[in-house]
Amino acid sequence: MTVLLSIKPEFAQKIFDGTKKYEFRKNIFKRKDIKKIIVYASSPVQQVIGEFEIKDILHDDVASVWKVTKQFSGISRQFYNEYFANVNKAFAIEIGTTKKYSSPKTLLYYGLNFVPQSFAYIS
C-alpha cells in the first residue's frame, strides 16, 4: 500500500536534494503496511513530483524526536517547535530511497480529484 502526502514545496525539494531525511507529522496513517510515499508538492506547485520509501517511523515525545532527527530535519528548531506547539507526541517518517519524477504528475493520474489535506491512501 502507498500513501500520497501533501508536502510544502520547499520541504519536498529538500527531500529530493537529500537535505531532509525526515518528514514530520502530528498524526499518521493507521495502516501498518505502508511502504512508499508519493509526494504531492502543495501550492503553488500543485503536482506530484516524486516518491520515497519509508525507512522507519519514529513516534515519541516531541523533544525526543527532535534529538534524534535534528541533524537531518531540513527545518529549524523554531519551525519544529511551532509545528508541534500543542501536541505531546511527534511522528517522524524516516526517508529511504527517493525517486524524483522527470515529469510531474497530476492528482488525477492517481485517481484523485481533490487535494488531500494531509494524506490519501493509493492502491
Side-chain angles (χ1 to χ4, degrees), residues 44-58:
V45 175
Q46 299 179 312
Q47 292 184 312
V48 177
I49 63 167
E51 61 189 59
F52 65 85
E53 292 179 12
I54 298 174
K55 191 171 182 179
D56 196 10
I57 299 176
L58 308 176

Side-chain angles (χ1 to χ4, degrees), residues 55-89:
K55 191 171 182 179
D56 196 10
I57 299 176
L58 308 176
H59 181 226
D60 207 337
D61 65 87
V62 174
S64 294
V65 169
W66 179 254
K67 283 180 190 175
V68 172
T69 63
K70 63 184 174 185
Q71 185 176 355
F72 295 105
S73 66
I75 59 175
S76 70
R77 176 72 186 258
Q78 180 180 347
F79 185 92
Y80 179 87
N81 287 341
E82 288 171 5
Y83 180 72
F84 288 112
N86 297 314
V87 296
N88 296 321
K89 298 286 184 179

